[in-house]
Amino acid sequence: MSAPGQPPVVVIGAGFGGLAAAVRLRALGHRVLVLEARDQAGGRAGVYRRDGYTFDAGPTVITAPYLLAELFELLGRDFAERVELVPVDPFYRILFHDGSTFDYVGEEDRLIENIRALSPRDVDGYRRLATRAREIFDVGYTQLADRPFLRFTDMIRILPDLVRLGGLRSVYSLVADHIEDDRLRRAFTFEPLLVGGHPFRASGIYLLIHWLERRWGVHFAKGGTAAIVEALVDLLEEVDVEVRLSTPVERIEVERGRAVAVHTEGGERVPCAFVVSNGDPSRTYRTMIPEADRGRNRDARVRRVQKSMSLFVGHFGVRRTYPDIAHHTIVLGERYRGLLDDIFRRRVLADDFSLYVHAPTRTDPSMAPPGNEAMYVLSPVPNNRSGIDWDREGERYFDAILSELEERLLPGLRAHLDLRFHVTPDYFEHELRTDAGAAFGPEPILTQSAWFRYHNRSPDVDGLYFVGAGTHPGAGVPGVLNSARVLERIAPRPTAGSEIPVPGERARV
C-alpha cells in the first residue's frame, strides 16, 4: 500500500494530531504527505511573533511529555536534544473573588499544606479525592486512552468500570462528595474546561486530568509551544515527509465507498493510499464528503452534535514586568455555575469572567523584549451558535477583561500596554475551520465520549481515519497525541516488502 510508486497516505491538517499521525505512519513504513490549510503548522498550537514578542496561539500547558518523546524515539531521534521542557511550579495559582489564593502544586506534602491553609477540614477529603482520581486515571487513561472504540461492544465492556468509578456523574458532583469548601471545589473542578467541558456536565471520568497532572507534572517548552511544533515539522522533513502549507483540502473523493484522493482548493487532485483527517470531524463530514457517501454521519446527525464552548483570547505585551505573578494564573469570578451555564447552556455573553492568564516570561524571558512581559488571557465564551457579533463585541470585551486584570492581578497594566490583539470564536470557525467556532470539538459529556464520540475509523468511508480533538479520546494535548496512538493500532500496514525504511533507522512493521 505504500510502495514508492504508489500514492501516499494523506494527512489533512498539521495540528498536533496530524503531525503525530504522520510520525507514527512514517515509522510504520508508509509514504506520508501532510496538507495544511494555513501558512504555518500547529493548528490550534500556532504562534504569533510581533515586535519582539512571541505569543502561543493555543495550548500552553504541556502534560504527559512522554507522548512527545515517544514520537521522536519512533524515528530514532531524541526529543530532549531539540526541545527543552521546563517544569512549571506552581501548576496553577488560583485567585478567588474574595482575594484568597491557592497554589495547585504537584508534590503531595506541599499541596496538602496549601489545602490546609484554606480549609483544614478538607485535607482528609482531598486525600480520598486523589485516590479516586488515581483509580479513574488507571482505567480511563492508562487502559483506554489509546484504545479504539469502533463497536458498541467496546463501550459495553467498560460500563461496569465507568459506573463504579463515577463516570455517570459529573466531575463537580464527585469533587463535592469529598470537598466542602466552595473555593476548593472550584479549584479541583475547573480542569474539564481545559478540554472544553462544563464541570457540572462533564463525565466524572474527566477527573483523570487531575491525576494526569499529578503523575507527570505541568511543563512549558522554552520558546513556547511553537518550539514543539517546529521540532516535529523538522523531524518529518528529515524522514522525507512533506508538510505542505497553504494547501487547504476542499473535498475527499470517494469511489465505491472508499477514499481514493483529496482535492485541494487550488484544484489539485492528490491520490492517496488512505486519508487521515486532523480536521474537525463535523466539518470534514459535512463539507468534504457528499451526503450520499455517508450512511451514519449524515447532515442531520452531525448537526445534533453538542459543541464545546469557544474561547476569547487576548494577547498583549507590557512595558514592565510582574515578577510576583505565576506562570499560569486562574482568575475566578464570583459566579461559578451561573457563569458556566451562561456559556454552555444559555449561550449569552456575560458581563463577568473567569480567566486564565499565561505569563510565559516567568519561565522564558526570551518571549518578550528585555524588561517586558508577553501575556495572553483566555476567557471561555459561547460558541458561534450564540449569534454574538464579535466584530462589535470584541474590543469592548477585551477592554473589560483588561480592566478586571488591572484591578485584580496586574496593577498599572493599561499605562504600560505596548501592544494588544485578540481572537474570538470567529477565528476558530473560519481560520481553524471548526463547526460553530467550538474550540474543542464535541462537548465532553458521557454521551459524546469513547464509542459515542466520532470514531477514529470512519464507519461511512473506507480508508478515512480521524485524529485530533474531535475523535477519541478527546481534546487537550495528551488526548490529541493519544488519538494518533489509536490510529497506529487500526491503520493499515504497508504490504509486505513495500515499506519505506526510515533514514538511519529500521522502520517498524
Side-chain angles (χ1 to χ4, degrees), residues 335 338-339 342-343 348-353 381-382 388 396-397:
R335 294 193 306 149
L339 177 59
D342 281 348
I343 295 166
V348 297
L349 188 60
D351 293 328
D352 54 339
F353 323 95
V381 295
I388 295 168
R396 179 199 65 78
Y397 194 70

Side-chain angles (χ1 to χ4, degrees), residues 155 159 161-171 173-174 201-205 446:
M155 192 75 185
L159 275 179
D161 282 333
L162 275 177
V163 174
R164 175 176 60 85
L165 295 171
L168 303 184
R169 299 171 59 190
S170 72
V171 169
S173 174
L174 289 183
R201 290 164 45 159
S203 165
I205 202 75
L446 181 61

Side-chain angles (χ1 to χ4, degrees), residues 102 104-108 111-112 115-116 119-133 175 178-180 184 188 210-211 214:
F102 175 71
Y104 170 28
V105 298
E107 296 90 345
E108 182 155 335
L111 183 56
I112 291 296
I115 292 169
R116 193 187 310 278
S119 178
R121 71 183 185 274
D122 282 319
V123 167
D124 289 340
Y126 172 75
R127 288 194 174 104
R128 293 192 300 273
L129 177 66
T131 297
R132 173 66 70 90
V175 170
H178 299 84
I179 301 293
E180 296 182 31
L184 289 176
F188 292 123
H210 179 72
W211 196 257
R214 287 279 311 275

Side-chain angles (χ1 to χ4, degrees), residues 84-105:
E84 182 182 357
L85 289 185
V86 183
V88 175
D89 185 29
F91 293 170
Y92 310 97
R93 176 165 294 152
I94 302 168
L95 175 60
F96 301 103
H97 188 264
D98 65 2
S100 58
T101 61
F102 175 71
D103 279 3
Y104 170 28
V105 298

Side-chain angles (χ1 to χ4, degrees), residues 209 212 473:
I209 299 171
L212 185 147

